[in-house]
């Protein structure tokens, strides 16, 4: 097999004494036994995407290992010193349940401390939202989480947070990457200053739990909280550290944990994927719910930023909600609570993303607040909070099962979102309603919106090229009609343009560049194409809607919208 010279140059660098003998031995073995794997491991450097840096663990520049993470950390250390001249720098570090997360977190801590930076390292795995909280709570300049979210077991990752508790955004992200790229591996300082590493746990846990209860509780009676029967699974992840504690602190006593999935395990042995977006992941929790007649089901991903929710429908059956549905239910409830408290005066906003349901815009309009819409990823909502400090953030989310209640945590937060959903469910049950009925009434009041997602996986070098070509083809061969409906607007976030196909006018999109295309059809349908920033996938998002007069019209309206989505998918040849 022929291997390109630039790849071989990288391989030879990793065979020098800068790298330990074990690493060199693994590379030597790959050169003879698996040249294809060698190529995949070195053909590029791992890159920062929408959710930080994620990759398969192993040796090489395109893998997660002590050297790639050490280089990141050395670069970040240099950048922090340059950005905060003369200050005693502080960083917080957390990690999840994945293989090697604890040892990689210690490597990261060692490098920071070797650079004279004070490190607060969680003594055991903790949820990602707790790290976001800890950055501000401990007055840190930055934070790191070792996690690959819901990716398969062979993955790990590295998320970087700034001093506001949000993930890094422009211009910091590009500047940090530039510093990292200019570093040599031989410049990494691995020799720890243990005096600068402080282990944290209970005190931060208590502060995080108190903050969560304060932010996500809304005068639910003690009786209503005790009467809500909850089924919950951590899917072998970190939420087991905080969700039961927070629910108990808030007064929810009937919390039933799926025992087979309560033990943290980086192999995620009971699920195909530890992703609450996948219905299969909640199979055991749904079975428990039916066994004990639970009112609501929750499941979280390994680092506890995403949550899956199931509620009882009008037939008494457990029904999974999608991320858009949980987002609008929580946002509507928050807006209603703020309105009842007289706290809405036009200086508030909610947050969403360009691939999420347009129903969020309808909610904002109805309650007289702004809806700020950014690119995929909660770092953009965190940036809104920072950039628009004259406005108060109420809550916000995205379709991929993430939500953020208030601004104490600046990333998606399954811990706070679960408590908020419990408040909604408990109050609805107390008044003879349900979460499902509340959602149905929202469809009457604000329009019946239905969304659908298709993810197409393309792995490796060839897959990345295929995804790139799909986006090129859509740009070079634009469609003017889909499913009998004219395309009236095309937004191209890579070119920062919004073209009105009816008037042929083009406007500039004042939003960071991203490889995303969105089509708007004349009937209000919306279609988005976006390569994933963290997985080898291209995603297509569909949103359709119709008006209904009462809940009795929902079944017919849903069948109508399902057919519309199926027709669009068929016409775009995405079946």
């Amino acid at each position: 097999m022929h291997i390109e010279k630039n790849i071989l140059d990288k391989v030879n660098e990793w065979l020098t004494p800068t790298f330990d003998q074990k690493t060199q031995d693994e590379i030597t073995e790959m050169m003879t036994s698996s040249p294809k794997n060698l190529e995949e491991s070195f053909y590029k450097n791992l890159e920062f995407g929408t959710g930080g840096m994620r990759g398969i663990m192993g040796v090489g520049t395109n893998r997660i290992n002590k050297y790639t993470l050490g280089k990141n950390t050395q670069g970040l250390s240099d950048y922090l010193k340059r950005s905060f001249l003369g200050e005693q720098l502080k960083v917080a570090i957390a990690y999840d349940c994945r293989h090697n997360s604890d040892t990689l977190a210690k490597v990261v801590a060692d490098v920071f401390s070797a650079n004279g930076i004070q490190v607060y390292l969680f003594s055991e795995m903790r949820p990602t939202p707790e790290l976001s909280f800890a950055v501000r709570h401990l007055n840190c300049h930055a934070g790191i989480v070792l996690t690959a979210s819901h990716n398969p077991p062979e993955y790990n990752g590295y998320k970087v947070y700034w001093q506001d508790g949000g993930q890094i955004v422009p211009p910091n992200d590009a500047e940090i990457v530039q510093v990292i790229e200019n570093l040599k591996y031989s410049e990494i300082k691995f020799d720890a200053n243990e005096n600068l590493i402080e282990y944290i746990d209970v005190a931060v846990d208590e502060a995080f739990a108190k903050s969560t209860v304060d932010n996500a509780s809304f005068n639910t009676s003690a009786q209503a909280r005790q009467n809500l029967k909850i089924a919950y699974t951590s899917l072998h992840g970190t939420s087991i550290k905080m969700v039961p504690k927070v629910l108990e602190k808030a007064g929810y006593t009937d919390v039933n944990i799926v025992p087979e999935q309560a033990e943290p395990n980086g192999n995620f042995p009971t699920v195909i994927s530890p992703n609450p977006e996948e219905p299969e992941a909640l199979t055991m929790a749904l079975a428990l719910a039916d066994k004990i007649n639970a009112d609501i089901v929750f499941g979280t991903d390994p680092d506890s930023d995403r949550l899956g929710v199931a509620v009882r429908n009008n037939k008494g059956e457990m029904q999974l909600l999608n991320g858009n549905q949980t987002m609008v239910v929580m946002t509507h409830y928050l807006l209603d609570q703020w309105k009842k408290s007289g706290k809405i005066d036009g200086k508030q906003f909610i947050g969403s993303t360009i691939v999420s349901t347009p129903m969020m815009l309808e909610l904002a309009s109805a309650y007289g607040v702004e809806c700020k819409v950014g690119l995929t990823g909660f770092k953009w909502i965190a940036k809104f909070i920072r950039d628009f400090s004259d406005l108060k953030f109420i809550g916000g989310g995205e379709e991929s099962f993430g939500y953020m209640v208030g601004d104490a945590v600046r990333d998606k937060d399954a811990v706070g979102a679960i408590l908020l959903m419990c408040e909604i469910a408990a109050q609805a049950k107390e008044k003879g309603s349900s979460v499902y009925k509340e959602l149905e009434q929202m469809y009457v009041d604000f329009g019946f919106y239905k969304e659908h997602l298709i993810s197409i996986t393309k792995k490796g070098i060839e897959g990345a090229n295929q995804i790139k070509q799909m986006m090129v083809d859509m740009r070079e061969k634009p469609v003017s009609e889909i499913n009998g409906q004219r395309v009236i607007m095309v937004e191209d976030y890579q070119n920062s343009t919004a073209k009105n196909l009816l008037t042929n006018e083009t406007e500039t999109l004042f939003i960071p560049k991203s490889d995303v295309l969105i089509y708007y059809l004349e009937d209000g349908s919306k279609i988005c194409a976006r390569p994933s920033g963290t997985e080898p996938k291209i995603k297509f998002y569909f949103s359709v809607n119709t008006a209904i007069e009462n809940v009795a019209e929902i079944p017919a309206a849903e069948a109508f919208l399902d057919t519309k989505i199926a027709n669009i998918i068929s016409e775009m040849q995405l079946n």
Side-chain angles (χ1 to χ4, degrees):
M1 175 181 172
H2 173 72
I3 297 178
E4 298 291 333
K5 182 180 181 301
N6 66 315
I7 297 176
L8 285 175
D9 287 344
K10 290 182 183 179
V11 170
N12 287 328
E13 182 189 0
W14 280 58
L15 290 172
T16 65
T18 295
F19 299 85
D20 62 51
Q21 193 59 49
K22 183 172 181 290
T23 295
Q24 294 181 54
D25 290 345
E26 285 187 46
I27 294 169
T28 303
E29 169 67 20
M30 261 198 288
M31 291 173 77
T32 54
S33 66
S34 184
K36 177 66 176 173
N37 190 19
L38 183 77
E39 183 181 46
E40 291 281 355
S41 299
F42 283 93
Y43 85 95
K44 67 173 184 175
N45 294 344
L46 276 180
E47 299 168 349
F48 282 90
T50 50
M53 177 183 281
R54 292 184 207 167
I56 296 169
M57 289 177 278
V59 299
T61 60
N62 189 34
R63 295 289 184 257
I64 294 287
N65 52 65
K66 68 175 284 188
Y67 296 104
T68 52
L69 297 194
K71 192 176 179 185
N72 283 354
T73 307
Q74 183 61 53
L76 180 55
S77 298
D78 294 345
Y79 185 80
L80 286 166
K81 289 178 181 179
R82 187 181 305 180
S83 302
F84 302 101
L85 288 171
E87 295 186 35
Q88 173 54 56
L89 297 171
K90 297 186 288 184
V91 299
I93 303 172
Y95 57 91
D96 69 4
C97 60
R98 289 181 174 273
H99 299 304
N100 305 315
S101 278
D102 54 350
T103 54
L104 289 171
K106 183 58 167 64
V107 168
V108 171
D110 289 349
V111 175
F112 277 130
S113 70
N115 281 276
I117 296 171
Q118 174 68 49
V119 177
Y120 298 106
L121 174 62
F122 277 99
S123 59
E124 293 180 326
M125 66 171 203
R126 287 296 188 280
T128 287
E130 186 170 356
L131 182 279
S132 173
F133 171 84
V135 169
R136 295 173 69 226
H137 179 68
L138 298 171
N139 296 311
C140 292
H141 297 82
I144 302 290
V145 178
L146 279 297
T147 177
S149 189
H150 56 278
N151 283 55
E154 65 269 23
Y155 280 76
N156 215 315
Y158 183 93
K159 286 185 182 178
V160 182
Y161 291 77
W162 209 234
Q163 63 183 147
D164 66 332
Q167 289 186 54
I168 53 170
V169 293
N172 301 114
D173 53 359
E175 292 171 356
I176 292 168
V177 168
Q178 190 61 54
V179 175
I180 293 168
E181 290 297 319
N182 289 336
L183 274 173
K184 295 183 176 67
Y185 284 100
S186 58
E187 297 177 85
I188 304 169
K189 299 175 183 175
F190 282 115
D191 294 328
N193 179 348
E194 297 291 350
N195 293 327
L196 289 176
I197 300 176
E198 179 181 332
Y199 289 90
I200 55 174
D201 36 49
V202 177
V204 179
D205 289 346
E206 292 300 327
F208 176 59
K210 181 181 185 303
S211 172
T212 303
V213 172
D214 290 346
N215 277 307
S217 297
F218 292 90
N219 301 314
T220 305
S221 71
Q223 190 64 46
R225 286 173 175 162
Q226 291 165 16
N227 286 344
L228 187 72
K229 188 179 286 287
I230 301 161
Y232 154 71
T233 176
S234 60
L235 296 179
H236 305 290
T238 61
S239 72
I240 197 72
K241 291 287 187 181
M242 291 306 301
V243 167
K245 179 193 292 285
V246 165
L247 291 179
E248 181 183 13
K249 192 177 183 72
Y252 289 93
T253 55
D254 201 349
V255 180
N256 303 271
I257 300 170
V258 176
E260 300 90 338
Q261 297 176 325
E263 186 68 30
N265 188 327
N267 288 324
F268 314 113
T270 64
V271 290
I272 296 170
S273 168
N275 184 0
E277 291 181 86
E278 303 290 342
E280 179 273 335
L282 296 183
T283 300
M284 296 179 81
L286 291 168
L288 176 62
D290 284 338
K291 181 180 177 182
I292 65 174
N293 195 30
D295 299 301
I296 194 163
V297 166
F298 297 109
T300 57
D301 67 346
D303 68 327
S304 187
D305 56 4
R306 297 175 192 234
L307 78 156
V309 181
V311 297
R312 297 220 173 264
N313 62 22
N314 295 335
K315 297 176 184 176
E317 303 162 337
M318 270 293 164
Q319 183 160 327
L320 293 164
L321 301 182
N322 64 42
N324 284 302
Q325 290 172 319
T326 56
M327 172 171 60
V328 295
V329 166
M330 287 190 276
T331 303
H332 178 247
Y333 177 83
L334 287 174
L335 287 167
D336 209 44
Q337 294 298 315
W338 279 60
K339 183 179 179 181
K340 286 175 181 175
S341 301
K343 294 195 294 184
I344 292 181
D345 59 6
K347 294 181 180 179
Q348 293 76 34
F349 78 98
I350 57 175
S352 187
T353 72
I354 57 175
V355 300
S356 299
T357 177
M359 192 172 178
M360 289 289 281
L361 298 168
E362 297 296 326
L363 290 172
S365 176
Y367 281 89
V369 303
E370 285 189 52
C371 181
K372 295 194 178 294
V373 179
L375 296 174
T376 302
F378 273 68
K379 61 186 180 183
W380 303 110
I381 297 178
K383 188 175 188 298
F384 288 146
I385 295 171
R386 189 172 71 214
D387 291 350
F388 299 96
S389 56
D390 56 322
L391 300 178
K392 185 67 177 171
F393 176 69
I394 294 174
E398 61 182 10
E399 53 73 40
S400 59
F401 289 58
Y403 202 80
M404 191 160 75
V405 187
D407 62 4
V409 171
R410 303 290 176 92
D411 204 352
K412 51 184 176 281
D413 174 13
V415 183
I418 284 175
L419 177 55
L420 177 61
M421 280 300 295
C422 286
E423 294 285 276
I424 297 168
Q427 290 184 20
K429 183 178 182 180
E430 188 175 46
K431 66 181 184 182
S433 181
S434 67
V435 172
Y436 192 81
K437 287 178 180 175
E438 298 293 305
L439 178 60
E440 285 187 317
Q441 188 57 47
M442 287 176 63
Y443 288 147
V444 176
D445 295 340
F446 305 105
F448 188 4
Y449 285 78
K450 181 140 195 186
E451 280 75 31
H452 184 71
L453 169 67
I454 290 180
S455 290
I456 301 172
T457 300
K458 303 278 188 181
K459 292 186 177 180
I461 302 171
E462 186 179 340
N465 290 333
Q466 288 174 343
I467 289 172
K468 188 180 294 184
Q469 189 59 48
M470 290 172 78
M471 295 301 291
V472 168
D473 290 344
M474 281 186 280
R475 288 189 170 93
E476 292 183 351
K477 304 168 189 173
V479 294
S480 57
E481 184 178 292
I482 300 174
N483 191 34
Q485 297 290 322
R486 288 182 298 174
V487 179
I488 60 172
M489 177 79 75
V490 178
E491 292 178 344
D492 187 341
Y493 288 82
Q494 185 164 278
N495 301 325
S496 300
T497 58
K499 185 173 183 180
N500 186 319
L501 301 190
L502 302 182
T503 64
N504 224 26
E505 294 175 346
T506 299
E507 296 180 7
T508 300
L509 292 170
F510 294 100
I511 196 166
K513 291 182 184 295
S514 185
D515 191 9
V516 180
L517 273 173
I518 301 181
Y519 299 111
Y520 295 90
L521 310 188
E522 60 185 332
D523 65 351
S525 300
K526 174 183 169 186
I527 303 157
C528 172
R530 181 185 79 89
S532 172
T534 54
E535 300 172 275
K537 294 179 178 179
I538 182 168
K539 297 183 176 184
F540 292 89
Y541 305 79
F542 307 90
S543 178
V544 295
N545 66 85
T546 189
I548 57 175
E549 295 292 325
N550 54 65
V551 294
E553 296 179 16
I554 287 178
E558 186 160 25
F560 168 70
L561 294 180
D562 283 340
T563 300
K564 181 176 285 193
I565 290 172
N567 289 342
I568 291 171
I569 292 170
S570 177
E571 186 162 322
M572 293 182 70
Q573 299 181 337
L574 297 172
N575 304 72

